[in-house]
């Protein structure tokens, strides 16, 4: 999916909601564990079917599938195949946070873009240019670079002064020199809303993937105040607050209720804008 197609879908749905499919078998409804051969996929399918008209993107965090070995990978593959086959208008994000050099990066890119057919993948920039550019070689795919994350440990490195600038700003500026940098997006945590104004000065036109709204305490209004651009330019992710709204048989309906609340708030924000 191209950036233009994603923007058009945002305008059509009046939503820039991304739902994180971070499936924990200890938290999903017990009847799925008892009745379903593949409870992870069954859970994901029910969430997707209940919310696909409210969300423009889904983001499985790969760790929640790797943790269950081959069965987890199979459930992930089935989930993405289901999305691509039934809801091709949906943007898919592999939240893998890969970051290695040369041929290794190329293999990671091939795995997520060619084999699993994700639209995008999150990448850690710590190892620099040659760990990012192999991902950027794929046409109409996006590399979502970690810039300023929502976790408490972000301040260990990301805001440290480097030549008079915080490191996350150096990452943003340096990445704009990479080959095919038009395929870049960036992760910026909602819990760091006060930084969005400065970030938009450096990457005014790029999409920002924003985790941290809801369970982690981020505020949607604050993020949008400084983060929206003329093409919207935001994907607001919510995971636990939506998918684990209930652990009973009504889990999909409750997930929809929470997604609808966020979509309505986004619709109002877009209307005001």
């Amino acid at each position: 999916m191209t950036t233009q197609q994603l923007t058009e879908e945002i305008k059509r749905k009046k939503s820039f909601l991304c739902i994180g499919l971070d499936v924990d078998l200890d938290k999903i409804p017990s009847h799925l564990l008892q009745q379903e051969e593949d409870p992870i996929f069954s859970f994901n399918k029910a969430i997707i079917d209940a919310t696909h008209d409210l969300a423009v993107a889904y983001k499985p965090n790969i760790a929640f599938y790797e943790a269950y070995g081959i069965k987890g990978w199979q459930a992930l593959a089935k989930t993405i195949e289901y999305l691509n086959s039934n809801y091709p208008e949906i943007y898919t994000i592999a939240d893998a946070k890969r970051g290695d050099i040369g041929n290794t990066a190329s293999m990671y890119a091939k795995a997520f873009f060619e084999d699993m057919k994700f639209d995008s993948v999150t990448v850690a920039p710590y190892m620099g240019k040659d760990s990012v550019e192999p991902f950027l070689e794929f046409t109409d795919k996006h590399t979502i670079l970690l810039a300023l994350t929502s976790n408490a440990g972000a301040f260990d490195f990301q805001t440290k002064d480097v030549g008079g600038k915080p490191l996350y700003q150096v990452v943003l500026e340096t990445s704009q020199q990479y080959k095919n940098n038009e395929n870049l997006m960036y992760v910026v945590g909602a819990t760091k809303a006060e930084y969005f104004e400065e970030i938009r000065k450096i990457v005014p036109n790029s999409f920002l993937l924003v985790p941290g709204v809801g369970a982690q305490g981020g505020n949607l209004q604050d993020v949008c105040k400084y983060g929206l651009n003329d093409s919207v330019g935001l994907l607001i992710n919510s995971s636990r607050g939506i998918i684990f709204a209930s652990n009973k048989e009504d889990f999909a309906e409750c997930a929809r209720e929470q997604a609808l609340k966020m979509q309505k708030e986004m619709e109002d924000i877009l209307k005001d804008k």
Side-chain angles (χ1 to χ4, degrees), residues 230-271:
D230 291 339
S231 300
V232 181
L234 295 175
L235 290 172
I236 304 293
N237 182 77
S238 179
S239 301
R240 288 169 285 173
I242 292 177
I243 67 173
F244 297 135
S246 170
N247 65 353
K248 298 180 174 61
E249 292 193 7
D250 65 348
F251 73 97
E253 292 85 353
C254 292
R256 179 175 178 80
E257 289 176 7
Q258 295 304 312
L260 183 60
K261 288 179 183 177
M262 291 195 71
Q263 184 274 323
K264 288 298 184 184
E265 188 175 358
M266 291 173 177
E267 184 176 355
D268 290 341
I269 289 170
L270 293 177
K271 193 180 299 181

Side-chain angles (χ1 to χ4, degrees), residues 147-179:
L148 186 60
T149 55
S150 57
N151 61 305
F155 296 103
D156 289 351
F157 302 112
Q158 295 169 27
T159 56
K160 295 297 184 185
D161 184 274
V162 179
K165 298 177 182 179
L167 179 58
Y168 77 88
Q169 289 188 14
V170 176
V171 169
L172 291 169
E173 292 173 354
T174 302
S175 68
Q176 289 295 293
Q177 308 305 314
Y178 292 169
K179 185 179 179 181

Side-chain angles (χ1 to χ4, degrees), residues 196-207:
F196 274 80
E197 190 169 15
E198 288 301 316
I199 288 169
R200 276 301 184 206
K201 292 177 183 177
I202 302 170
V203 288
N205 301 315
S206 299
F207 261 89

Side-chain angles (χ1 to χ4, degrees), residues 139-151:
T139 305
D140 293 337
K141 302 287 187 177
H142 292 104
T143 301
I144 309 179
L145 213 60
L146 302 181
L148 186 60
T149 55
S150 57
N151 61 305

Side-chain angles (χ1 to χ4, degrees), residues 148-150 187-193 196 209-212 223:
L148 186 60
T149 55
S150 57
V187 175
V188 180
T191 53
K192 309 292 190 298
F196 274 80
L209 172 63
V210 185
V223 169

